[in-house]
Amino acid sequence: GQQLNQSPQSMFIQEGEDVSMNCTSSSIFNTWLWYKQEPGEGPVLLIALYKAGELTSNGRLTAQFGITRKDSFLNISASIPSDVGIYFCAGRASGTYKYIFGTGTRLKVLA
Amino acid sequence: DTEVTQTPKHLVMGMTNKKSLKCEQHMGHRAMYWYKQKAKKPPELMFVYSYEKLSINESVPSRFSPECPNSSLLNLHLHALQPEDSALYLCASSRGGGSQETQYFGPGTRLLVL
């Protein structure tokens, strides 16, 4: 099925560093969601974005809905070991229930 | 409360077995989803129910049969599965209408087909 381009594919960082990842689409979305998934668990919703240009924070996480409506960004500040996991973006176009998922960013944090 | 529950958590079945996965939410959501997820891959949409009617079937083989008995429950009936169907099966729900749709996932059922 269709997937969004998500980068980077994986990141190995030191504890305390900031992290940035992004998703790009060839089509316009009106909703962007960011999830974190740990092994054997379901994805957990981190941030939801509904408006072009919107910037939303959830603790150390900040996400933005790109102005073109074809991309979104997630930043994690001052990473900690429990940030380890796979981060997925998901976009949805108007008039459909279908979410398109990014390929995922695997994050590992070294203490 | 943004909880979606799924049972069982783990399931092992033979290729001739019939089993069912169950999903429940009490958020008043009117859209419910089944996804299949292989290791290190994103969730792959299988079915969407909106207002208890099947609205999306992503060309899923007939050995997977979804059912939505009411607005809170979603089942996935499994019959004559193949080993390649082994995966994490995720249920999700969303409000089902309006501009600010947010989708919440359950913890998943880990399925192993022998």
Side-chain angles (χ1 to χ4, degrees):
Chain A
Q2 183 185 358
Q3 294 179 1
L4 303 177
N5 289 323
Q6 187 172 344
S7 65
Q9 187 175 9
S10 62
M11 303 181 73
F12 290 76
I13 61 169
Q14 294 287 335
E15 183 177 0
E17 289 184 358
D18 297 344
V19 172
S20 292
M21 60 190 79
N22 69 84
C23 271
T24 58
S25 167
S26 58
S27 52
I28 289 173
F29 290 140
N30 70 344
T31 300
W32 282 98
L33 305 177
W34 283 93
Y35 293 92
K36 178 188 175 187
Q37 187 174 24
E38 298 186 40
E41 302 293 329
V44 173
L45 182 69
L46 300 174
I47 293 180
L49 302 161
Y50 305 109
K51 193 173 170 182
E54 181 181 358
L55 188 70
T56 298
S57 293
N58 177 6
R60 294 178 295 105
L61 278 62
T62 302
Q64 185 163 23
F65 193 135
I67 292 176
T68 66
R69 297 173 62 193
K70 292 184 177 182
D71 54 11
S72 182
F73 308 87
L74 176 70
N75 295 314
I76 304 173
S77 63
S79 58
I80 59 178
S82 61
D83 290 333
V84 166
I86 302 179
Y87 291 79
F88 290 106
C89 64
R92 186 181 69 93
S94 176
T96 178
Y97 288 113
K98 184 173 179 176
Y99 288 84
I100 309 298
F101 277 78
T103 46
T105 295
R106 181 178 299 272
L107 179 63
K108 294 200 174 181
V109 180
L110 306 174
Chain B
D1 181 16
T2 57
E3 189 177 26
V4 177
T5 59
Q6 289 187 244
T7 56
K9 191 165 176 60
H10 301 278
L11 180 62
V12 180
M13 60 187 291
M15 290 189 283
T16 58
N17 292 158
K18 285 186 182 181
K19 296 286 185 183
S20 296
L21 310 184
K22 297 185 183 302
C23 173
E24 192 166 3
Q25 56 85 17
H26 295 288
M27 295 178 277
H29 287 176
R30 303 308 299 270
M32 296 187 77
Y33 308 71
W34 280 116
Y35 287 87
K36 173 183 177 180
Q37 187 179 28
K38 291 283 200 178
K40 302 182 183 179
K41 298 291 187 182
E44 181 183 334
L45 183 64
M46 300 173 72
F47 304 103
V48 181
Y49 273 82
S50 61
Y51 293 82
E52 293 124 69
K53 292 193 186 329
L54 184 64
S55 63
I56 297 177
N57 177 344
E58 291 285 281
S59 302
V60 178
S62 60
R63 58 185 184 268
F64 295 91
S65 175
E67 178 196 19
C68 189
N70 60 56
S71 60
S72 300
L73 294 174
L74 186 66
N75 298 322
L76 186 63
H77 303 297
L78 314 173
H79 174 53
L81 294 193
Q82 303 297 310
E84 60 264 28
D85 296 322
S86 299
L88 182 67
Y89 287 84
L90 295 163
C91 175
S93 71
S94 67
R95 194 154 48 95
S99 58
Q100 296 197 349
E101 279 285 297
T102 304
Q103 182 181 234
Y104 297 93
F105 281 89
T109 294
R110 173 72 61 188
L111 174 67
L112 177 61
V113 182
L114 300 177

